Amino acid sequence: MKKVFLAVILGLSFGIANAQQVRFGVKAGLNLATFSGDAVGSDVKMKAGLHAGGLVEIKFTDKLALQPELLFSMQGAEIVDKGDNGSGGTFKDEYKRNLTYLNVPILLKFYPVNSFFLEGGPQVGFLVDAKSKNVFTDTNGTGTTIVSTESDVKDNYKSTDFSFNIGLGYDFTQNLFASARYNIGLSNVNDLKGAFGIYEIDRKNSVLSFSLGYKF
């Protein structure tokens, strides 16, 4: 994967030198993020987050362009574990994994018709922060106990994430555009060690994004 990104960067340098047009822009929008992969005893759900950042659109022709981006992205998932507590009652462990990345997607854009475009390409993400918010509920014959905690879990996740994007979009004007994109995780982001690793054997990021942007 690292060789792929090196080849893309070299191609990007060549592309800028031979581009017909280079434009800068900004974008922001909504993330619907979750984990794919193993979910031992867990119900994994989407969580909402935001993304924002900048881009460079390098147009080779009216139909073809290359677009590298730098995005601040809020990802992660909502996870629920529940079952028998062993004392005649039940337990539920609900927690949000809030992962923050600095993502660098490099996308090839194709315009099959005026204004409408398709896009796809690799992405590398660098983990900036990781927090967990837990709500544990235990219910038995004597009542219900609820415990809420927050913790830093950055050491439980790998510092680098590799993925692939596919998407589409529309240029409303020469400046304003909207896009939708699905980010498919390719690498296991889990780095949890020890006996508790059974609960997070394999986690890959999976993110559906909706963006509005402006090109200068």
Side-chain angles (χ1 to χ4, degrees):
M1 184 62 68
K2 292 180 180 178
K3 292 180 179 179
V4 172
F5 272 93
L6 179 59
V8 170
I9 291 172
L10 291 174
L12 180 60
S13 301
F14 177 80
I16 292 176
N18 293 274
Q20 289 186 358
Q21 185 183 48
V22 178
R23 301 179 68 188
F24 295 88
V26 293
K27 61 182 295 186
L30 173 70
N31 285 345
L32 297 176
T34 188
F35 292 138
S36 62
D38 296 327
V40 180
S42 300
D43 181 14
V44 184
K45 301 178 181 180
M46 282 187 167
K47 66 174 289 293
L50 301 174
H51 66 269
L55 60 91
V56 182
E57 185 185 62
I58 305 163
K59 270 208 166 182
F60 306 113
T61 70
D62 290 340
K63 297 286 188 181
L64 193 64
L66 193 66
Q67 184 167 295
E69 302 175 354
L70 181 63
L71 301 174
F72 178 84
S73 182
M74 300 166 63
Q75 299 173 200
E78 292 189 16
I79 304 174
V80 178
D81 287 329
K82 56 186 176 181
D84 190 336
N85 65 7
S87 302
T90 60
F91 77 90
K92 181 190 290 186
D93 193 5
E94 304 171 272
Y95 55 97
K96 285 186 179 181
R97 288 293 168 89
N98 298 315
L99 308 183
T100 303
Y101 285 90
L102 189 62
N103 288 332
V104 185
I106 301 177
L107 305 169
L108 187 65
K109 295 176 67 177
F110 174 64
Y111 286 82
V113 295
N114 289 341
S115 300
F116 175 75
F117 62 85
L118 303 173
E119 61 183 14
Q123 173 178 292
V124 60
F126 302 98
L127 185 65
V128 176
D129 191 32
K131 294 288 195 300
S132 180
K133 294 184 177 181
N134 294 56
V135 178
F136 181 81
T137 304
D138 186 83
T139 303
N140 52 45
T142 60
T144 298
T145 302
I146 299 175
V147 179
S148 298
T149 60
E150 294 188 22
S151 58
D152 188 319
V153 292
K154 191 175 181 181
D155 289 343
N156 296 344
Y157 290 88
K158 293 178 181 176
S159 59
T160 306
D161 175 41
F162 294 100
S163 56
F164 192 87
N165 288 292
I166 54 174
L168 51 81
Y170 189 82
D171 292 335
F172 295 106
T173 68
Q174 289 292 320
N175 305 104
L176 185 65
F177 70 91
S179 64
R181 182 181 300 173
Y182 180 48
N183 177 249
I184 306 165
L186 300 178
S187 60
N188 181 11
V189 298
N190 175 50
D191 201 26
L192 190 62
K193 303 294 194 305
F196 294 104
I198 187 173
Y199 293 107
E200 293 194 80
I201 297 172
D202 181 20
R203 298 290 193 198
K204 294 181 175 67
N205 284 314
S206 178
V207 187
L208 182 61
S209 300
F210 302 93
S211 306
L212 283 175
Y214 189 89
K215 289 179 284 189
F216 300 100

